[in-house]
Amino acid sequence: MTNDREPKATKASREHTAPADRASATEAMRSAAEQLTELLGRRPDSVSALKPTEEGWEARVEVVEVERIPETTSVMASYQVTLDPAGRLLAYERGQRYTRAQTDRNDRTR
């Protein structure tokens, strides 16, 4: 038996393994929300942005920080989340706080 096929199989295996190491966009969004929930003790309202980076993923996650009645007056916070390629949370930082009814016309940096 020759080993002519072995390098090809190894190369093919590596090609199929590499994409599996990186979470899909859907997996990264879900992962960001779930891990932030564990850290903050609050369920995120939405993931408003997600982008791939060379180091993994960056996401912006919106969280209800203070629930009020009516809901439009609830205090929201936007968290910047950094994930590794597999979707594991590396860092997070709270950014802007705002009321749910606030439009983003005052926030031109996004």
Side-chain angles (χ1 to χ4, degrees):
M1 187 183 269
T2 64
N3 288 337
D4 291 341
R5 293 185 184 180
E6 192 171 321
K8 291 178 187 175
T10 303
K11 182 179 178 185
S13 296
R14 275 185 273 140
E15 289 173 1
H16 293 300
T17 304
D21 291 344
R22 184 172 185 92
S24 69
T26 304
E27 292 166 336
M29 280 180 58
R30 192 173 299 123
S31 181
E34 289 172 359
Q35 292 177 80
L36 201 56
T37 298
E38 287 183 43
L39 292 169
L40 301 177
R42 296 182 192 97
R43 187 94 184 127
D45 193 59
S46 66
V47 177
S48 59
L50 178 72
K51 69 178 179 179
T53 65
E54 288 184 20
E55 296 81 24
W57 295 93
E58 287 184 2
R60 188 169 41 246
V61 181
E62 311 305 318
V63 177
V64 178
E65 292 218 323
V66 179
E67 290 188 52
R68 294 186 177 156
I69 298 174
E71 284 186 10
T72 55
T73 61
S74 291
V75 178
M76 305 289 293
S78 184
Y79 284 82
Q80 186 68 30
V81 178
T82 304
L83 305 167
D84 71 7
R88 290 181 296 266
L89 192 137
L90 298 173
Y92 74 96
E93 181 178 4
R94 186 176 73 187
Q96 178 187 13
R97 292 181 81 192
Y98 58 96
T99 60
R100 186 184 291 272
Q102 182 179 339
T103 62
D104 60 355
R105 68 179 177 192
N106 294 329
D107 183 18
R108 303 208 182 265
T109 60
R110 288 190 197 189

